[in-house]
Amino acid sequence: MANDKKMVEAITSMEEDFAQWYTDIVKKAELVEYSGIKGCMIIRPAGYAIWELIQKELDRRFKETGVENVYMPMFIPESLLNKEKEHVEGFAPEVAWVTHGGGEKLQERMCVRPTSETLFCDFYARIIGSYRDLPKVYNQWCSVVRWEKTTRPFLRSMEFLWQEGHTAHATAEEAEERTIQMLNLYADFCEEVLAIPMVRGRKTDKEKFAGAEATYTIEALMHDGKALQSGTSHNFGSGFAKAFEIRYTDKENKLQYVHQTSWGMTTRLIGAVIMVHGDNSGLVLPPAIAPVQAVVIPVRQDKEGVLDKAYELGAMLKDFRVKVDDSDRSPGWKFAEHEMRGVPLRIEIGPKDIAAGQAVIARRDTGEKMTVLLSELAEKTRELLSVMQKEMLERAREHRDQHTYTAVHMEELLDIAEHKSGFIKAMWCGDVACEEALKEKAGVTSRCMPFVQEEVAKTCVCCGKPAKTLVYWGKAY
Amino acid sequence: MANDKKMVEAITSMEEDFAQWYTDIVKKAELVEYSGIKGCMIIRPAGYAIWELIQKELDRRFKETGVENVYMPMFIPESLLNKEKEHVEGFAPEVAWVTHGGGEKLQERMCVRPTSETLFCDFYARIIGSYRDLPKVYNQWCSVVRWEKTTRPFLRSMEFLWQEGHTAHATAEEAEERTIQMLNLYADFCEEVLAIPMVRGRKTDKEKFAGAEATYTIEALMHDGKALQSGTSHNFGSGFAKAFEIRYTDKENKLQYVHQTSWGMTTRLIGAVIMVHGDNSGLVLPPAIAPVQAVVIPVRQDKEGVLDKAYELGAMLKDFRVKVDDSDRSPGWKFAEHEMRGVPLRIEIGPKDIAAGQAVIARRDTGEKMTVLLSELAEKTRELLSVMQKEMLERAREHRDQHTYTAVHMEELLDIAEHKSGFIKAMWCGDVACEEALKEKAGVTSRCMPFVQEEVAKTCVCCGKPAKTLVYWGKAY
């Protein structure tokens, strides 16, 4: 790749220190700046523009399924948070409390939302009366606060951006259907837009959301072989409805509890994109969420006509998110800069290219360079972006599959956990004791019970008793 | 208008009680639901969809001028808030304080942002080093919290949604240029999109933003004759830069302070739309921000073919935001419902219309009904939406102009303030004592010193000394 040396100097290589490599990219690609507030990050334009593209596409897909957006207050009075027992136990330890407002001590303290189930439940109890009011399929885009001890940009921070969908349905079947529908929507989005393959499955009881009957998850494998939970969808059954008295009169005029779901994805998706696609030259962005899809870089821009030609190329590519870098930096500096920022295509144009009626295109993901006639530039750009989007997913899937291992016996699992890194497929008896033993002995947690089941053995990898289900195990972010 | 009686029963008329009329619309058009949290509102789908359309169009206009979006933490440590003296005095009394997090008392309490000047300044001090880093033209969409004693949905609430732009420039001229540019962008947006005419001007020193050198404002007149400050743009000069040490090295390698601006608009714009365009049948939405621009209502939908035809009309109008109301309510109920929600066009289709190959279109703003051939439906819809957008602005301007009075002497001003309601144009000497006297005696505040100046008298309306400037005075929300 061009400027390999320069980039190697600029960031730590991922083989040397993956965590430092991640931090270097986040900082040098100007995605995030640390703030003076412990555990809070500032999302800079290069990072926020990725989030805007994620939002736009996710929101479009949501709306196609009938989702409507709302905005709820950011504060939750303590008494409201306390209404559902399991839920409050899950969240109370990590909330931030507002105790004073307008110069006075509050009669009741309020937490900054760590998630808004309780607010939505209170809201639904107010507005749902009859079967005519159902279903409610609401979502909000907002920030939430969870008082984390150890934080990392995008992956775990005290405040983060997300969307949280909250729905209420007349029947249990409809709620379950919506739960699965949103999980699949998430997985399709990640695969088609972020080019990240997902394992779709269900969380064990130990790992499910506080207050949920069932939690479904999509799990991705990062370049270092660690797993990242990328989105979750919960079926609450009638648990919250009973705690909050959310009832409706059905067509037979009988009072019934509603059935609820919630589902969310966060800015941690940006962390996933970095850790799945990035390389030692920096970020590599899938074209679908690249704020700049192609950058035109004039070579010898001091020569008459070069800069004008660069602008002309920019105009030819107006159907894409294109940028002409006309700054007074050297071409080499620009190459490295836009590689660091993960711009999918670099288009070089210099005096010789102009004379020949052509330009040079370089792909960010493979480093491949090719010469293209200017008359074919727009078409070639479209083709390359499309190919790149597809191949990035394929490469990520290959990497994931190559780092997915199968263990039948405990020794085998311990060996893999110690010497390799990736998903470990192994059978499980369903006993939480085995789950805990695996965590303690091998340092792995159950990522999910995949929808696509296989029987890799008859017995539990841990206790040897008859197995109930296949589980993906792994070390996780 | 159809169903006039039903609607009169449903909401208080604006002539009887404007405040109650406003509250009725907000509730019955399902824009907002009250939450259990004092002073906080829940923005429901019908309200949030308006905000999304406002956001989308404003954001597009911002980006055309080079604005980039970011996201800043929602918490401000007390020491950071305290850095700029005037600013903290303006905001400290109305903030909410977080004192505990993660089960522990914080070493330093943090407020929930009432506005983010201090955070942006801290950020800019970190990332601005040389003239190459300027200008910074950043914006964020978020919610802010101000501990208000009296609250009203959209107009004044403890938490509200807004955008806040914060910029840093090399020169004072450039900062002033950006301040005015954004004010004009706001005013153009309000006129072209919300169909609300604005008076553009500058705030007096008494009314300017805490910490600003100059505050510019756009002021609108509501239907009851009260003014609403609809957007502000501030020039901070180098005040914050000095407090936060935001400096850059210029081309001569000399250290210079940056010059800053900030500017914001909020969900109160939705309140303005209600109070400028609404009538006694409910909300009236300008087509540009109507989540549903045309609703197709089948009449006698039990008759074979009627519902299918209604869907067909929906498909014919797919270029617009169209909804086919196929619910099992009566046509009369639907007429009233969509009038209440302010849908610009109602399209009725029944068996007789189908036989004649036509439909009936009713305009929400004028109540005008007309028969249109189905072959011309899409074209007519486009035309009517465009005409309506234009005429709504014209009517609002006429109303504003009819309720703008001129006062030369104090008695005249007192008489207008007592018996009429609207803007009062009167000359001012520039002395804050006169401003305070007018507030005390006439109950009016200075809304702005308009860009378009007239000399309606030679002397101050209050003290009779030589006048310096024309001021718009009024009672305000």
Side-chain angles (χ1 to χ4, degrees), chain A residues 168-439:
Chain A
H169 305 271
T171 66
E173 292 69 36
E174 204 184 296
E176 178 67 6
E177 214 170 88
R178 173 58 72 168
T179 315
I180 300 290
Q181 177 184 24
M182 298 317 288
L183 191 86
N184 282 322
L185 185 154
Y186 283 167
D188 292 345
F189 168 82
C190 288
E191 291 172 359
E192 294 162 15
V193 179
L194 308 184
I196 302 178
M198 290 290 159
V199 178
R200 308 170 193 212
R202 181 174 171 170
K203 286 282 183 195
T204 61
D205 282 352
K206 181 172 182 290
E207 299 287 335
K208 75 182 183 189
F209 184 80
E213 273 189 4
T215 290
Y216 299 95
T217 181
I218 48 174
E219 301 278 329
L221 199 69
M222 303 299 102
H223 211 275
D224 63 347
K226 278 196 189 168
L228 188 81
Q229 176 180 304
S230 307
T232 48
S233 186
H234 316 290
N235 186 341
F236 290 127
S238 288
F240 278 93
K242 283 172 185 160
F244 286 83
E245 281 293 317
I246 314 173
R247 294 196 285 185
Y248 71 97
T249 47
D250 66 15
K251 288 182 183 172
E252 281 75 47
N253 216 28
K254 277 172 59 182
L255 265 182
Q256 305 279 4
Y257 287 109
V258 301
H259 302 261
Q260 291 174 271
T261 83
S262 85
W263 23 274
M265 290 224 279
T266 78
T267 32
R268 94 183 322 213
L269 290 175
I270 299 174
V273 167
I274 299 169
M275 292 195 293
V276 168
H277 300 302
D279 64 22
N280 287 333
S281 299
L283 193 58
V284 182
L285 289 172
I289 52 147
V292 177
Q293 296 176 308
V295 60
V296 178
I297 298 182
V299 178
R300 299 293 317 263
Q301 70 185 54
D302 54 306
K303 290 268 185 191
E304 202 189 317
V306 171
L307 213 44
D308 283 343
K309 198 69 183 179
Y311 294 134
E312 207 178 289
L313 264 57
M316 287 164 73
L317 299 176
K318 64 174 169 19
D319 290 347
F320 309 95
R321 294 187 289 273
V322 68
K323 179 188 164 134
V324 178
D325 187 345
D326 57 3
S327 67
D328 59 1
R329 307 284 195 178
S330 72
W333 193 95
K334 292 179 189 177
F335 286 10
E337 171 77 0
H338 297 291
E339 272 179 4
M340 180 60 75
R341 287 169 174 264
V343 178
L345 297 178
R346 178 181 74 227
I347 297 165
E348 306 163 22
I349 182 87
K352 282 180 198 160
D353 302 309
I354 295 173
Q358 63 188 35
V360 174
I361 307 190
R363 271 175 71 165
R364 175 64 184 86
D365 59 336
T366 58
E368 192 189 344
K369 286 176 76 160
M370 63 212 87
T371 301
V372 179
L373 286 177
L374 293 187
S375 57
E376 289 164 11
L377 184 66
E379 196 191 320
K380 191 70 187 170
T381 298
R382 184 178 310 279
E383 182 197 315
L384 284 174
L385 290 173
S386 158
V387 166
M388 208 175 140
Q389 182 78 31
K390 207 165 129 255
E391 291 185 1
M392 284 177 76
L393 174 62
E394 279 164 20
R395 273 197 305 277
R397 183 168 280 135
E398 269 167 38
H399 176 271
R400 198 244 344 241
D401 292 348
Q402 282 163 7
H403 293 81
T404 299
Y405 307 93
T406 303
V408 172
H409 302 293
M410 191 65 175
E411 311 83 75
E412 216 175 340
L413 189 144
L414 288 170
D415 185 62
I416 297 168
E418 196 183 338
H419 299 106
K420 290 166 180 168
S421 63
F423 283 132
I424 307 175
K425 297 198 288 188
M427 303 307 290
W428 178 51
C429 62
D431 191 341
V432 69
C434 289
E435 220 178 334
E436 281 162 1
L438 284 181
K439 188 171 183 186

Side-chain angles (χ1 to χ4, degrees), chain B residues 173-239:
Chain B
E173 293 68 36
E174 204 184 296
E176 178 67 8
E177 213 170 273
R178 174 58 73 168
T179 315
I180 300 292
Q181 177 184 23
M182 297 317 288
L183 191 87
N184 282 322
L185 186 154
Y186 283 166
D188 293 344
F189 168 82
C190 288
E191 292 173 359
E192 293 162 15
V193 179
L194 308 183
I196 302 178
M198 291 289 160
V199 178
R200 308 170 193 210
R202 182 174 171 170
K203 287 282 183 195
T204 61
D205 281 352
K206 181 173 183 289
E207 299 287 333
K208 74 182 184 188
F209 185 80
E213 271 188 6
T215 289
Y216 300 96
T217 180
I218 49 174
E219 301 279 329
L221 200 69
M222 304 298 102
H223 211 276
D224 64 347
K226 278 196 190 170
L228 188 81
Q229 176 180 306
S230 306
T232 47
S233 186
H234 317 290
N235 186 342
F236 290 126
S238 288

Side-chain angles (χ1 to χ4, degrees), chain B residues 363-406:
Chain B
R363 270 174 71 165
R364 175 64 185 88
D365 60 335
T366 58
E368 190 189 345
K369 286 176 77 161
M370 63 212 88
T371 302
V372 179
L373 287 176
L374 293 186
S375 57
E376 291 164 9
L377 183 66
E379 196 191 320
K380 191 69 187 171
T381 298
R382 184 178 309 279
E383 181 197 317
L384 284 173
L385 290 174
S386 158
V387 166
M388 206 175 143
Q389 182 77 32
K390 207 166 128 255
E391 291 186 0
M392 285 178 75
L393 174 63
E394 281 165 19
R395 275 198 304 278
R397 184 168 279 136
E398 269 168 37
H399 176 271
R400 200 254 328 253
D401 292 349
Q402 281 163 7
H403 293 81
T404 300
Y405 307 94
T406 303

Side-chain angles (χ1 to χ4, degrees), chain A residues 42-60:
Chain A
I42 293 168
I43 308 183
R44 299 183 69 169
Y48 198 79
I50 297 173
W51 183 240
E52 284 183 311
L53 289 164
I54 289 175
Q55 279 192 301
K56 193 176 163 191
E57 178 59 18
L58 255 188
D59 200 66
R60 190 186 68 72

Side-chain angles (χ1 to χ4, degrees), chain B residues 95 275 320 360 449:
Chain B
V95 298
M275 292 196 292
F320 309 95
V360 174
M449 303 178 281

Side-chain angles (χ1 to χ4, degrees), chain B residues 148-160:
Chain B
E148 303 277 1
K149 293 245 157 24
T150 334
T151 60
R152 300 190 65 192
F154 296 122
L155 299 178
R156 197 170 287 277
S157 52
M158 206 176 80
E159 181 188 5
F160 58 87

Side-chain angles (χ1 to χ4, degrees), chain B residues 291-296 313-315 317-318 320-324 347:
Chain B
V292 178
Q293 295 175 309
V295 61
V296 178
L313 265 56
L317 299 175
K318 64 174 169 22
F320 309 95
R321 292 186 291 270
V322 68
K323 179 189 163 133
V324 178
I347 297 165

